[in-house]
Coordinates of all heavy atoms in Angstrom, one line a residue:
M1 N 5.0 -20.3 3.5 CA 5.2 -19.5 2.3 C 4.1 -20.0 1.3 O 4.1 -21.2 1.0 CB 6.6 -19.7 1.8 CG 6.9 -19.3 0.4 SD 6.9 -17.6 0.2 CE 7.0 -17.5 -1.6
P2 N 3.4 -19.1 0.7 CA 2.4 -19.6 -0.3 C 3.0 -20.1 -1.6 O 4.2 -19.7 -1.9 CB 1.5 -18.3 -0.6 CG 2.3 -17.2 -0.1 CD 3.3 -17.7 1.0
A3 N 2.3 -20.9 -2.3 CA 2.8 -21.4 -3.6 C 2.9 -20.2 -4.6 O 2.2 -19.2 -4.3 CB 1.9 -22.4 -4.2
P4 N 3.7 -20.3 -5.6 CA 3.8 -19.1 -6.5 C 2.5 -18.6 -7.1 O 2.3 -17.4 -7.1 CB 4.7 -19.6 -7.7 CG 5.5 -20.7 -7.0 CD 4.6 -21.3 -6.0
R5 N 1.5 -19.4 -7.4 CA 0.2 -18.9 -7.9 C -0.5 -18.2 -6.8 O -1.1 -17.2 -7.0 CB -0.6 -20.1 -8.4 CG -0.3 -20.3 -9.9 CD -1.2 -21.3 -10.5 NE -2.4 -20.9 -11.2 CZ -2.5 -20.0 -12.2 NH1 -1.5 -19.4 -12.6 NH2 -3.7 -19.8 -12.8
Q6 N -0.5 -18.8 -5.6 CA -1.2 -18.1 -4.4 C -0.4 -16.8 -4.1 O -1.1 -15.9 -3.8 CB -1.2 -19.1 -3.2 CG -2.1 -20.3 -3.4 CD -1.9 -21.2 -2.2 OE1 -0.9 -21.2 -1.6 NE2 -2.9 -22.0 -2.0
G7 N 0.9 -16.9 -4.2 CA 1.7 -15.7 -3.9 C 1.3 -14.5 -4.9 O 1.3 -13.4 -4.5
L8 N 1.1 -14.9 -6.1 CA 0.7 -13.9 -7.1 C -0.6 -13.3 -6.8 O -0.8 -12.1 -6.9 CB 0.7 -14.5 -8.5 CG 0.5 -13.5 -9.7 CD1 1.6 -12.5 -9.7 CD2 0.5 -14.3 -11.0
S9 N -1.6 -14.1 -6.3 CA -2.9 -13.6 -5.9 C -2.8 -12.7 -4.7 O -3.4 -11.6 -4.7 CB -3.8 -14.8 -5.6 OG -4.1 -15.6 -6.7
V10 N -1.9 -13.0 -3.8 CA -1.7 -12.2 -2.6 C -1.1 -10.9 -3.0 O -1.4 -9.8 -2.6 CB -0.9 -12.9 -1.5 CG1 -0.4 -12.0 -0.4 CG2 -1.6 -14.1 -1.0
L11 N -0.1 -11.0 -3.9 CA 0.6 -9.8 -4.4 C -0.4 -8.9 -5.1 O -0.3 -7.6 -4.9 CB 1.8 -10.2 -5.3 CG 2.7 -9.1 -5.7 CD1 3.4 -8.5 -4.4 CD2 3.8 -9.7 -6.6
S12 N -1.3 -9.4 -5.9 CA -2.3 -8.6 -6.6 C -3.2 -7.9 -5.6 O -3.6 -6.8 -5.8 CB -3.1 -9.5 -7.6 OG -2.2 -10.0 -8.6
A13 N -3.6 -8.7 -4.6 CA -4.5 -8.1 -3.6 C -3.8 -6.9 -2.8 O -4.4 -5.9 -2.5 CB -5.0 -9.2 -2.6
V14 N -2.6 -7.1 -2.5 CA -1.8 -6.1 -1.7 C -1.7 -4.9 -2.6 O -1.8 -3.7 -2.2 CB -0.5 -6.6 -1.2 CG1 0.4 -5.5 -0.7 CG2 -0.7 -7.7 -0.2
T15 N -1.4 -5.1 -3.9 CA -1.2 -4.0 -4.8 C -2.5 -3.2 -5.0 O -2.5 -2.0 -5.0 CB -0.8 -4.5 -6.2 OG1 0.4 -5.2 -6.0 CG2 -0.6 -3.4 -7.2
L16 N -3.6 -3.9 -5.0 CA -5.0 -3.3 -5.1 C -5.2 -2.4 -3.8 O -5.7 -1.3 -3.9 CB -6.1 -4.3 -5.3 CG -7.5 -3.8 -5.4 CD1 -7.6 -2.9 -6.6 CD2 -8.5 -4.9 -5.4
L17 N -4.9 -3.0 -2.7 CA -5.0 -2.3 -1.4 C -4.2 -1.0 -1.3 O -4.6 0.0 -0.9 CB -4.7 -3.2 -0.2 CG -4.9 -2.7 1.2 CD1 -6.4 -2.2 1.4 CD2 -4.6 -3.7 2.2
I18 N -2.9 -1.1 -1.8 CA -2.1 0.0 -1.8 C -2.7 1.1 -2.7 O -2.7 2.3 -2.3 CB -0.6 -0.4 -2.3 CG1 0.1 -1.2 -1.3 CG2 0.2 0.9 -2.7 CD1 1.4 -1.8 -1.8
G19 N -3.1 0.7 -3.9 CA -3.8 1.7 -4.8 C -5.0 2.4 -4.2 O -5.2 3.6 -4.3
T20 N -5.8 1.6 -3.5 CA -7.0 2.1 -2.8 C -6.6 3.1 -1.7 O -7.2 4.2 -1.6 CB -7.8 1.0 -2.3 OG1 -8.2 0.1 -3.3 CG2 -9.1 1.5 -1.6
L21 N -5.6 2.8 -0.9 CA -5.2 3.6 0.1 C -4.5 4.9 -0.4 O -4.7 6.0 0.2 CB -4.2 2.9 1.1 CG -4.8 1.8 1.9 CD1 -3.7 1.1 2.7 CD2 -5.9 2.3 2.8
V22 N -3.9 4.9 -1.5 CA -3.3 6.1 -2.1 C -4.4 7.0 -2.6 O -4.3 8.2 -2.4 CB -2.3 5.7 -3.3 CG1 -2.0 6.9 -4.1 CG2 -1.1 5.1 -2.8
V23 N -5.5 6.4 -3.2 CA -6.6 7.3 -3.6 C -7.3 7.9 -2.4 O -7.6 9.1 -2.4 CB -7.6 6.4 -4.4 CG1 -8.9 7.2 -4.6 CG2 -7.0 6.0 -5.8
I24 N -7.4 7.2 -1.3 CA -8.0 7.7 -0.1 C -7.1 8.8 0.5 O -7.6 9.9 0.9 CB -8.3 6.6 0.9 CG1 -9.4 5.7 0.5 CG2 -8.6 7.2 2.3 CD1 -9.5 4.4 1.3
Q25 N -5.8 8.6 0.4 CA -4.9 9.6 0.9 C -5.0 10.9 0.1 O -5.0 12.0 0.6 CB -3.5 9.1 0.9 CG -2.5 9.9 1.6 CD -1.1 9.3 1.7 OE1 -0.9 8.3 1.1 NE2 -0.2 9.9 2.4
L26 N -5.0 10.8 -1.2 CA -5.2 11.9 -2.1 C -6.5 12.7 -1.8 O -6.5 13.9 -1.8 CB -5.0 11.5 -3.5 CG -3.6 11.1 -4.0 CD1 -3.7 10.6 -5.4 CD2 -2.7 12.3 -3.9
W27 N -7.6 11.9 -1.7 CA -8.9 12.5 -1.4 C -8.8 13.3 -0.1 O -9.3 14.4 0.0 CB -9.9 11.4 -1.4 CG -11.2 11.9 -0.8 CD1 -12.2 12.7 -1.5 CD2 -11.7 11.8 0.5 NE1 -13.2 13.0 -0.7 CE2 -13.0 12.5 0.5 CE3 -11.3 11.2 1.6 CZ2 -13.7 12.5 1.7 CZ3 -12.0 11.2 2.8 CH2 -13.2 11.9 2.8
L28 N -8.2 12.7 0.9 CA -8.1 13.3 2.2 C -7.3 14.6 2.2 O -7.7 15.6 2.7 CB -7.5 12.4 3.2 CG -7.3 12.9 4.7 CD1 -8.6 13.2 5.3 CD2 -6.6 11.8 5.5
A29 N -6.2 14.6 1.4 CA -5.4 15.8 1.3 C -6.1 16.9 0.5 O -6.1 18.0 0.9 CB -4.1 15.4 0.6
A30 N -6.9 16.5 -0.5 CA -7.6 17.5 -1.3 C -8.7 18.1 -0.4 O -9.0 19.3 -0.4 CB -8.2 16.8 -2.5
A31 N -9.4 17.2 0.4 CA -10.5 17.7 1.3 C -9.9 18.7 2.4 O -10.5 19.7 2.7 CB -11.2 16.6 2.0
A32 N -8.7 18.3 2.9 CA -8.1 19.2 3.9 C -7.7 20.5 3.3 O -7.9 21.6 3.9 CB -6.9 18.5 4.5
L33 N -7.1 20.5 2.1 CA -6.8 21.7 1.4 C -8.0 22.6 1.1 O -8.0 23.8 1.3 CB -6.0 21.4 0.1 CG -5.5 22.6 -0.7 CD1 -4.5 23.5 0.1 CD2 -4.8 22.2 -2.0
D34 N -9.0 22.0 0.7 CA -10.3 22.7 0.4 C -10.8 23.3 1.6 O -11.3 24.5 1.6 CB -11.3 21.7 -0.2 CG -12.6 22.4 -0.7 OD1 -12.5 23.4 -1.4 OD2 -13.7 22.0 -0.3
A35 N -10.8 22.6 2.8 CA -11.3 23.2 4.0 C -10.4 24.3 4.5 O -10.9 25.4 4.9 CB -11.3 22.1 5.1
F36 N -9.1 24.2 4.3 CA -8.1 25.2 4.7 C -8.4 26.5 3.9 O -8.4 27.6 4.4 CB -6.7 24.7 4.6 CG -5.7 25.8 4.9 CD1 -5.5 26.2 6.2 CD2 -4.9 26.3 3.9 CE1 -4.6 27.2 6.5 CE2 -4.0 27.3 4.1 CZ -3.8 27.7 5.5
L37 N -8.5 26.3 2.6 CA -8.7 27.5 1.7 C -10.1 28.1 2.0 O -10.3 29.3 1.7 CB -8.6 27.1 0.2 CG -7.2 26.7 -0.2 CD1 -7.2 26.2 -1.7 CD2 -6.2 27.8 0.0
G38 N -11.0 27.3 2.5 CA -12.3 27.9 2.9 C -12.3 28.6 4.3 O -13.3 29.0 4.7
G39 N -11.2 28.6 4.9 CA -11.1 29.3 6.2 C -11.1 28.4 7.4 O -11.1 28.9 8.5
D40 N -11.2 27.1 7.3 CA -11.3 26.2 8.4 C -9.9 25.5 8.6 O -9.6 24.5 8.0 CB -12.4 25.2 8.2 CG -12.6 24.3 9.4 OD1 -12.1 24.6 10.5 OD2 -13.3 23.2 9.2
A41 N -9.1 26.1 9.5 CA -7.8 25.5 9.7 C -7.8 24.4 10.8 O -6.7 23.7 11.0 CB -6.8 26.6 10.2
S42 N -8.9 24.1 11.4 CA -8.9 23.1 12.4 C -8.8 21.7 11.9 O -8.6 20.8 12.7 CB -10.3 23.2 13.2 OG -11.4 22.9 12.4
V43 N -9.0 21.5 10.6 CA -8.9 20.2 10.0 C -7.4 19.8 9.7 O -7.2 18.6 9.3 CB -9.8 20.0 8.8 CG1 -11.2 20.2 9.2 CG2 -9.3 20.9 7.7
L44 N -6.5 20.7 9.7 CA -5.2 20.4 9.2 C -4.4 19.4 10.0 O -3.8 18.5 9.5 CB -4.3 21.7 9.1 CG -4.8 22.7 8.1 CD1 -3.9 23.9 8.1 CD2 -4.8 22.1 6.7
V45 N -4.5 19.5 11.3 CA -3.7 18.5 12.2 C -4.3 17.1 12.1 O -3.5 16.2 11.8 CB -3.6 19.0 13.6 CG1 -3.0 18.0 14.5 CG2 -2.8 20.3 13.7
P46 N -5.6 17.0 12.2 CA -6.2 15.6 12.0 C -5.9 15.0 10.6 O -5.6 13.8 10.5 CB -7.6 15.7 12.3 CG -7.8 17.0 13.1 CD -6.7 17.9 12.6
A47 N -6.0 15.9 9.6 CA -5.8 15.4 8.3 C -4.3 15.0 8.0 O -4.0 14.0 7.4 CB -6.2 16.5 7.2
A48 N -3.4 15.8 8.6 CA -2.0 15.5 8.5 C -1.7 14.2 9.2 O -0.9 13.4 8.7 CB -1.2 16.6 9.0
A49 N -2.3 14.0 10.4 CA -2.1 12.7 11.1 C -2.6 11.5 10.3 O -1.9 10.5 10.2 CB -2.7 12.8 12.5
A50 N -3.8 11.7 9.8 CA -4.4 10.6 9.0 C -3.5 10.3 7.7 O -3.3 9.1 7.4 CB -5.8 10.9 8.6
C51 N -3.1 11.4 7.1 CA -2.2 11.2 5.9 C -0.9 10.5 6.2 O -0.4 9.6 5.5 CB -2.0 12.5 5.2 SG -3.3 13.1 4.1
G52 N -0.4 10.9 7.4 CA 0.9 10.2 7.8 C 0.7 8.8 8.1 O 1.5 7.9 7.8
A53 N -0.5 8.4 8.8 CA -0.8 7.0 9.1 C -1.0 6.2 7.8 O -0.5 5.1 7.7 CB -2.0 7.0 10.0
L54 N -1.7 6.8 6.8 CA -1.9 6.1 5.6 C -0.5 5.9 4.8 O -0.3 4.9 4.2 CB -2.9 6.9 4.7 CG -4.3 6.8 5.1 CD1 -5.2 7.8 4.3 CD2 -4.8 5.4 4.9
A55 N 0.3 6.9 4.9 CA 1.6 6.8 4.2 C 2.5 5.7 4.9 O 3.1 4.9 4.2 CB 2.4 8.1 4.3
L56 N 2.4 5.6 6.2 CA 3.1 4.5 6.9 C 2.6 3.2 6.6 O 3.3 2.2 6.3 CB 3.1 4.8 8.4 CG 4.0 5.9 8.9 CD1 3.8 6.1 10.4 CD2 5.5 5.6 8.7
G57 N 1.2 3.1 6.5 CA 0.6 1.9 6.1 C 0.9 1.4 4.7 O 1.2 0.3 4.4
N58 N 0.9 2.4 3.8 CA 1.3 2.1 2.4 C 2.8 1.7 2.3 O 3.1 0.8 1.6 CB 1.1 3.3 1.5 CG -0.3 3.4 1.0 OD1 -1.0 2.4 0.9 ND2 -0.8 4.6 0.7
G59 N 3.6 2.3 3.1 CA 5.1 1.9 3.1 C 5.2 0.5 3.6 O 6.0 -0.3 3.0
G60 N 4.5 0.2 4.7 CA 4.6 -1.2 5.2 C 4.1 -2.2 4.2 O 4.7 -3.3 4.0
L61 N 3.0 -1.9 3.5 CA 2.4 -2.8 2.5 C 3.4 -3.0 1.3 O 3.5 -4.0 0.8 CB 1.1 -2.3 2.0 CG -0.1 -2.6 3.0 CD1 -1.4 -1.9 2.5 CD2 -0.4 -4.1 3.1
L62 N 4.0 -1.9 1.0 CA 5.0 -1.9 -0.1 C 6.1 -2.8 0.2 O 6.6 -3.6 -0.6 CB 5.4 -0.5 -0.5 CG 6.4 -0.4 -1.7 CD1 5.8 -0.9 -2.9 CD2 6.9 1.0 -1.8
L63 N 6.7 -2.6 1.4 CA 7.8 -3.5 1.8 C 7.4 -5.0 1.9 O 8.1 -5.8 1.5 CB 8.3 -3.1 3.2 CG 9.1 -1.7 3.2 CD1 9.4 -1.4 4.7 CD2 10.3 -1.8 2.3
Y64 N 6.2 -5.2 2.3 CA 5.7 -6.6 2.3 C 5.5 -7.2 0.9 O 6.0 -8.3 0.6 CB 4.3 -6.7 3.0 CG 3.7 -8.0 3.0 CD1 4.1 -9.1 3.8 CD2 2.6 -8.3 2.0 CE1 3.6 -10.3 3.7 CE2 2.1 -9.6 2.0 CZ 2.5 -10.6 2.8 OH 2.0 -11.8 2.7
A65 N 5.0 -6.3 0.0 CA 4.8 -6.8 -1.4 C 6.2 -7.0 -2.0 O 6.3 -8.0 -2.8 CB 4.0 -5.7 -2.2
L66 N 7.2 -6.2 -1.8 CA 8.5 -6.4 -2.4 C 9.1 -7.6 -1.8 O 9.8 -8.4 -2.6 CB 9.4 -5.2 -2.2 CG 9.0 -3.9 -2.9 CD1 9.8 -2.7 -2.5 CD2 9.0 -4.1 -4.4
G67 N 9.0 -7.9 -0.5 CA 9.6 -9.1 0.0 C 8.9 -10.3 -0.5 O 9.6 -11.3 -0.8
L68 N 7.6 -10.3 -0.6 CA 6.8 -11.4 -1.1 C 7.3 -11.7 -2.6 O 7.5 -12.9 -3.0 CB 5.3 -11.2 -1.0 CG 4.4 -12.3 -1.5 CD1 4.6 -13.5 -0.7 CD2 3.0 -11.8 -1.5
D69 N 7.4 -10.7 -3.4 CA 7.8 -10.8 -4.8 C 9.2 -11.5 -4.8 O 9.5 -12.4 -5.6 CB 7.8 -9.5 -5.5 CG 8.2 -9.6 -6.9 OD1 7.6 -10.4 -7.6 OD2 9.1 -8.9 -7.4
R70 N 10.1 -11.0 -4.0 CA 11.5 -11.6 -3.9 C 11.4 -13.0 -3.6 O 12.1 -13.9 -4.2 CB 12.3 -10.8 -2.9 CG 13.8 -11.1 -3.0 CD 14.6 -10.3 -2.0 NE 14.2 -8.9 -1.9 CZ 13.7 -8.4 -0.7 NH1 13.6 -9.1 0.4 NH2 13.3 -7.1 -0.7
R71 N 10.6 -13.4 -2.6 CA 10.5 -14.8 -2.2 C 9.9 -15.7 -3.3 O 10.3 -16.8 -3.5 CB 9.7 -15.0 -0.9 CG 10.4 -14.5 0.3 CD 9.7 -14.8 1.6 NE 8.4 -14.3 1.7 CZ 8.0 -13.2 2.2 NH1 8.9 -12.4 2.7 NH2 6.8 -12.8 2.3
I72 N 8.9 -15.2 -4.0 CA 8.3 -15.9 -5.1 C 9.3 -16.1 -6.2 O 9.4 -17.2 -6.7 CB 7.0 -15.2 -5.6 CG1 5.9 -15.2 -4.5 CG2 6.5 -15.8 -6.9 CD1 4.7 -14.3 -4.8
R73 N 10.0 -15.1 -6.6 CA 11.0 -15.2 -7.6 C 12.1 -16.2 -7.3 O 12.5 -17.0 -8.1 CB 11.6 -13.9 -8.0 CG 10.6 -13.0 -8.7 CD 11.3 -11.6 -8.9 NE 10.3 -10.7 -9.4 CZ 10.1 -10.4 -10.7 NH1 10.8 -11.1 -11.6 NH2 9.2 -9.5 -11.1
A74 N 12.6 -16.1 -6.0 CA 13.6 -17.1 -5.6 C 13.1 -18.5 -5.6 O 13.8 -19.4 -6.0 CB 14.1 -16.7 -4.2
R75 N 11.9 -18.7 -5.2 CA 11.3 -20.1 -5.2 C 11.2 -20.6 -6.6 O 11.4 -21.8 -6.9 CB 10.0 -20.0 -4.5 CG 9.5 -21.4 -4.2 CD 8.2 -21.4 -3.3 NE 8.0 -22.7 -2.8 CZ 6.9 -23.0 -2.2 NH1 6.0 -22.1 -1.9 NH2 6.7 -24.2 -1.7
G76 N 10.8 -19.7 -7.5 CA 10.7 -20.1 -8.9 C 12.0 -20.5 -9.5 O 12.1 -21.4 -10.4
R77 N 13.1 -19.8 -9.1 CA 14.4 -20.1 -9.7 C 14.9 -21.4 -9.1 O 15.7 -22.1 -9.8 CB 15.4 -19.0 -9.3 CG 15.3 -17.8 -10.2 CD 16.5 -16.8 -9.9 NE 15.9 -15.5 -9.9 CZ 15.9 -14.7 -8.9 NH1 16.4 -15.0 -7.8 NH2 15.4 -13.5 -9.1
R78 N 14.5 -21.8 -7.9 CA 15.0 -23.1 -7.3 C 14.2 -24.2 -7.9 O 14.5 -25.4 -7.6 CB 14.8 -23.0 -5.8 CG 15.8 -22.2 -5.1 CD 15.8 -22.5 -3.6 NE 14.4 -22.7 -3.1 CZ 13.8 -21.8 -2.2 NH1 14.5 -20.8 -1.8 NH2 12.6 -22.1 -1.7
G79 N 13.2 -24.0 -8.7 CA 12.4 -25.1 -9.3 C 11.2 -25.5 -8.4 O 10.6 -26.5 -8.7
G80 N 10.8 -24.6 -7.5 CA 9.5 -24.8 -6.8 C 9.7 -25.9 -5.7 O 8.8 -26.7 -5.4
D81 N 10.9 -25.9 -5.1 CA 11.1 -26.9 -4.0 C 10.0 -26.9 -3.0 O 9.7 -26.1 -2.3 CB 12.5 -26.6 -3.3 CG 13.6 -26.9 -4.3 OD1 13.4 -27.7 -5.2 OD2 14.7 -26.3 -4.1

């Protein structure tokens, strides 16, 4: 378990990664919608699969970040044992 300061750095990095993946997911969805409205429906299935994979990855990172935050807070309450 990382020390509270290291844990905060890890938490910040995970939050930055989540934000980046959300932006990529939004860009991918916008590009797929643009292609669909342009008449190219062949991109919908791959784009949906990629968006689903990104959503699962973001969910996993979010659960990791919440668990890490819980452990850091619990360690801080115990006095940093």
Side-chain angles (χ1 to χ4, degrees):
M1 164 74 188
R5 271 187 94 56
Q6 291 173 336
L8 187 59
S9 296
V10 171
L11 192 60
S12 297
V14 169
T15 303
L16 180 64
L17 183 57
I18 289 172
T20 302
L21 290 177
V22 166
V23 169
I24 292 170
Q25 189 175 10
L26 288 172
W27 171 79
L28 181 61
L33 181 61
D34 185 50
F36 177 69
L37 292 175
D40 185 12
S42 66
V43 299
L44 291 182
V45 173
C51 279
L54 285 170
L56 287 174
N58 274 333
L61 284 171
L62 180 62
L63 289 176
Y64 175 76
L66 291 174
L68 181 62
D69 182 54
R70 190 177 321 115
R71 288 190 301 267
I72 291 170
R73 288 177 189 266
R75 189 171 196 189
R77 280 190 220 117
R78 285 194 320 247
D81 292 333

